[in-house]
Amino acid sequence: MSTVNRALFAILIIGFVFLGLFLGSKIEKNFELNPVVADNATTSVVVAGAAPAFTDGPRENPTSSTSTPTDAGLNVTFNATATDANGDQYYLIVCSSATATPNNNAAPSCAVGSTTWCVSGAVASGAANTCATTTNAGWTEINAWWGFACDKSAGSQCSAGSQGTGEPGTPFMVNHKPNFATISNDGPKDPGATITITANASDTDTASPDTVSLYICKSNDWTTTSNCGAGGQWCATTSKASEPSCSFAIPDPQAHGNVTYYPYVKDNHNFGATGTVQGAAATFAVNDVAPTVSNVTIHGGEDIDVSLGGEGPTGNVSVTSSADVTDHNGCADLVSATSSFYTTEIDAAGCTATNANQCYYNTACSVNGSCQSSITYSYVCTSTFYYHADPTDVGSYWESSTWKSKVFASDGSTMASSTVGTGRDLTSYTALSVSSTINYGSLAIGDIANGTALPKTASVYSSGNTGVDLNLSGGNMTGTASTTATIAVGQQKYATSGVAYSAATALSGTPTGLTIGVLKTTTTASLSSKFSYWGLQIPTATFADTYTGYVIFTAVKSASSTW
Amino acid sequence: MKNQKLKILFVFLLPFFLVINALDCYAFGISPPYIYNDTLVTGLRYEQRISLSRQDDSLDDRVELQLNAPGYESWISFDPGMSFIFPKGQKHMYLKAIVQVPNDASYGARTGTVAISITSEKDKITGGSNVVLGAQVDINLNVTDKKIYDFKVYSLDVPDSYQSEPVFVAIGIENLGNMDFGPSRVVFEALNALGNQSMASSEVSVDIPTAGPFERKEIKVKIPSIKLPEGGYWANVVTFKGQDKVDERKLFFNVLGQRPEPIKTWDDESPQALAQSREYMMYKAGFLILLSIILLIILSALIKKIKARKATKLQTENKPAKKEIPQIVKIEKIEVAPEIKPIRPKVIRKPKPVQFPEQDNSNQQPPETK
């Protein structure tokens, strides 16, 4: 660094030093302005008998303002600091008017006709002083005030009234409880439906103006700060001028009957409402909705085959129907389900009592599986169909009909039902029952003449669900002792009545129709039947022996018109 | 007179009742008592079950069939046959009638009968006529050139599915026609568990399986675009035939969580899954075949090599003179580089000593064999 540069650098440093000193002196001068003012005040207090003066406040602490009013019943506290030139103690008094009256060596009072909000005790000059007043619901919302500092001396004097400044200054605000007169709802409603609960509530405070909020709690656990507690909330609405109402969807499922709730109202300053309704248990009503039945099936979508259960009085098969039953009051609300099975010939309306032909009525159903989504049970209903249930398949008398099922469900108060969409056929079952033998007894040649009425009978029963005719055939009868001895098959004759032997039909090896016309059985315990009549004429020169033959009784479904 | 005195005696082995109780009778029945189809087409195979029932199952009974189908007997066959045993202890059995319409069958109606009789040895008497029971099956067939497209839905199910996987619908259809046929369109709507809010809906109109003529079949329709989160849902399924709504049902189903592991479900039996499975198996088989070929090539190469070595060895054993000259030459080469170590393993592989010509080679290294 050259000498010149060094010199310049030194000059620069010196310059900065001087600049610093100059600025420092300026700042010092500025700070000395206040003491100059104090000097002026001190000069003024020198006058004897002067009133104390506020050096801080007066103010509300905490602030009681439009936005932060003081709830009725709570205190409004005033703070102030004053000094007395004579070093006397001083009182703080807050009045509703601009005039305070000093009392020598005693607490001051407010002017006659005004309200003394509060008076403090005497404190030393320069010390902070405080007084408080307890608000009550009877006070007006807006309350003006003037604060005074009055010295405690023989010649007591009060300062000029001060209303403070800004929000902590006059007035103080009293927040009143909202009025909550009644609570109501537009129920009863169905589960899942929207219900509205309305409170007859409002707030008299108009400065803000105050609004009201409604909380509908599930339990009695509401607080002004946290609202509904752990029990949960049905609904809430906030910041309403009056008549707050809120809505919510009733749970689905929901048991029918009254559901308890707890209503609460507060204003926008979190001040809970007054009145007996606040937090008192109330209820909304849920309707007892009817169950619904869906997805009805019959016999798993299969045709019904009664032959699987066998023929005759004991012949029966199980036929099922199934359905989903839904109750929005919950599965527990479902009481029972039943089913009817019927032909479309009579339809559901005609099926009012079981007759085993066209109608199987009031079959009990049982729950199949667990409750789905808390609202739906599957039911299965099993009925016993007898062998003579009416067929509806092709060629049957009821060909144009089908079998259907209808499922009824009850929740104890209402009944619902639904019918399977597509019916199923019940197939024709042609079955017969015949005595095991035709025993002609002991016959001699000529015992059965041409004019003799057919002496023997064989009963033919319809043990299925159709009318029955016969095809009859047989073979020659053969001797027991002499196997070569025979009686021709045609010597056996038959008819549908006891006609003369000559008028009857000779049995042959070829199946031959006999329109015997056994009707369809309609009563479970009693098979429909007809007699077939038989006779055997022994030809001349027949070897004496015991002869045995056979007759084939073939059941033929008779014309449906004859059933 | 001898003839006049002749009496034919029929012995009553059992009391004869004028009015008999049905329970004391034999009983036999069939259901349905017909083989019926009025929409057959040429070349078509049609099957129908006939249920046979009897009252008494204490013995084996013989069942005999007599077919009377003039001019078309060959179309009709029966399973288990024209004569079979109704086994003891069984009150019910099925007979299957199979109608195979020839390709050259003429159009028109055919009627006929099948007489079914059942012969029991029980309570057979000597003297009088034993009763044999039977029942007649009426045959009513009609061959037509009319193509029938029709079906009805006999069942519907939405099986539980897994989260993030497509939903399937199992539709039981009964083809009432004589052509392959099935639903033309399936509309699926998933509703929430309460059934009051639609969650998703989709429509499928392609790749819907069909049922053969007169066939009852449960077809599985994949609803690819519907993948629901875990939970319970209602499904509203509408099945269409052309533009006509054939069936509409609402039923509950569950979507389970994530599929726990690749277990076999009916889902896996879907045509797509089966195709994938087949493809995978083919890849697997192809890989195994390729591996086998490579192994065979290696094996054959090894065998060749072994055979060649054996042949060389035999040559060495049988024709030692031929080896003399090259071996001598090699020995001379080794002489040039005496510091090279002999390769012992190769010597070990050939335990038999190599014969050398008689000469003085004491100063030489042993010859390397090859």
Side-chain angles (χ1 to χ4, degrees), chain A residues 255 257 473 540:
Chain A
S473 59
T540 54

Side-chain angles (χ1 to χ4, degrees), chain B residues 135-149:
Chain B
Q136 178 174 292
V137 175
D138 294 322
I139 303 173
N140 280 290
L141 302 175
N142 184 49
V143 181
T144 178
D145 60 348
K146 194 177 170 188
K147 293 176 179 174
I148 311 292
Y149 297 94

Side-chain angles (χ1 to χ4, degrees), chain B residues 78-276:
Chain B
F78 296 93
D79 182 14
M82 298 297 284
S83 176
F84 52 88
I85 295 294
F86 204 138
K88 178 183 175 182
Q90 221 172 292
K91 285 192 169 179
H92 167 263
M93 70 180 292
Y94 281 113
L95 170 70
K96 189 195 286 179
I98 302 154
V99 179
Q100 179 64 59
V101 184
N103 290 324
D104 59 352
S106 59
Y107 302 130
R110 270 90 173 166
T111 58
T113 59
V114 185
I116 303 173
S117 62
I118 180 166
T119 310
S120 177
E121 293 300 316
K122 193 181 182 194
D123 299 334
K124 265 198 165 177
I125 62 163
T126 302
S129 280
N130 289 292
V131 168
V132 175
L133 295 183
Q136 178 174 292
V137 175
D138 294 322
I139 303 173
N140 280 290
L141 302 175
N142 184 49
V143 181
T144 178
D145 60 348
K146 194 177 170 188
K147 293 176 179 174
I148 311 292
Y149 297 94
D150 193 13
F151 74 92
K152 65 179 174 183
V153 175
Y154 67 84
S155 70
L156 195 137
D157 187 27
V158 181
D160 291 349
S161 58
Y162 284 99
Q163 191 175 324
S164 306
E165 292 183 11
V167 174
F168 282 85
V169 180
I171 308 173
I173 59 170
E174 187 173 355
N175 189 348
L176 306 173
N178 53 20
M179 295 285 136
D180 275 359
F181 196 49
S184 56
R185 193 157 54 105
V186 175
V187 177
F188 184 99
E189 184 181 19
L191 303 156
N192 65 353
L194 302 173
N196 56 14
Q197 186 184 341
S198 180
M199 306 297 288
S201 65
S202 184
E203 184 176 312
V204 176
S205 57
V206 294
D207 296 333
I208 299 176
T210 58
F214 310 110
E215 185 185 12
R216 276 170 69 91
K217 185 180 179 185
E218 188 177 75
I219 60 168
K220 296 172 178 78
V221 181
K222 186 180 180 181
I223 314 292
S225 62
I226 291 190
K227 293 174 183 174
L228 296 162
E230 186 176 358
Y233 299 89
W234 285 94
N236 197 51
V237 184
V238 188
T239 308
F240 287 87
K241 178 178 68 181
Q243 295 303 312
D244 301 329
K245 187 198 290 185
V246 175
D247 187 79
E248 180 170 10
R249 300 187 198 203
K250 189 177 177 184
L251 60 166
F252 196 85
F253 72 103
N254 288 299
V255 174
L256 309 174
Q258 293 290 344
R259 185 184 288 277
E261 54 186 72
I263 52 172
K264 186 176 171 61
T265 67
W266 73 267
D267 178 358
D268 296 327
E269 290 168 7
S270 64
Q272 295 90 337
L274 287 172
Q276 281 179 354

Side-chain angles (χ1 to χ4, degrees), chain A residues 287-322:
Chain A
N287 287 328
D288 187 358
V289 292
T292 56
V293 182
S294 63
N295 197 26
V296 180
T297 67
I298 180 168
H299 209 48
E302 300 277 349
D303 286 345
I304 302 163
D305 182 357
V306 290
S307 76
L308 303 179
E311 60 279 291
T314 58
N316 66 82
V317 293
S318 293
V319 176
T320 59
S321 66
S322 64

Side-chain angles (χ1 to χ4, degrees), chain A residues 180-395:
Chain A
F180 186 8
T182 58
I183 188 82
S184 61
N185 64 71
D186 62 350
K189 291 287 180 75
D190 292 346
T194 299
I195 191 166
T196 301
I197 296 178
T198 305
N200 180 4
S202 60
D203 196 299
T204 54
D205 295 333
T206 55
S208 322
D210 278 7
T211 59
V212 287
S213 300
L214 172 66
Y215 296 86
I216 305 298
C217 300
K218 293 180 178 176
S219 299
N220 189 13
D221 57 1
W222 183 84
T223 63
T224 52
T225 50
S226 303
N227 303 318
C228 296
Q233 172 183 292
W234 287 115
C235 67
T237 185
T238 58
S239 306
K240 299 295 178 187
S242 63
E243 303 290 315
S245 65
C246 65
S247 302
F248 60 94
I250 294 173
D252 191 352
Q254 174 66 52
H256 58 81
N258 288 333
V259 178
T260 301
Y261 64 89
Y262 299 87
Y264 297 90
V265 170
K266 69 176 183 180
D267 66 13
N268 51 315
H269 307 297
N270 284 343
F271 199 23
T274 183
T276 55
V277 184
Q278 176 84 345
T283 58
F284 62 85
V286 178
N287 287 328
D288 187 358
V289 292
T292 56
V293 182
S294 63
N295 197 26
V296 180
T297 67
I298 180 168
H299 209 48
E302 300 277 349
D303 286 345
I304 302 163
D305 182 357
V306 290
S307 76
L308 303 179
E311 60 279 291
T314 58
N316 66 82
V317 293
S318 293
V319 176
T320 59
S321 66
S322 64
D324 294 331
V325 181
T326 299
D327 192 321
H328 288 273
N329 293 127
C331 282
D333 200 42
L334 291 169
V335 173
S336 64
T338 58
S339 179
S340 287
F341 301 83
Y342 52 86
T343 64
T344 51
E345 175 84 6
I346 62 166
D347 222 338
C351 182
T352 54
T354 298
N355 61 24
N357 293 306
Q358 306 147 310
C359 170
Y360 290 84
Y361 180 69
N362 204 29
T363 300
C365 306
S366 57
V367 170
N368 182 27
S370 56
C371 178
Q372 300 280 10
S373 288
S374 306
I375 56 172
T376 302
Y377 267 138
S378 287
Y379 281 90
V380 64
C381 324
T382 305
S383 180
T384 301
F385 271 43
Y386 290 95
Y387 63 95
H388 60 93
D390 285 353
T392 57
D393 59 347
V394 62

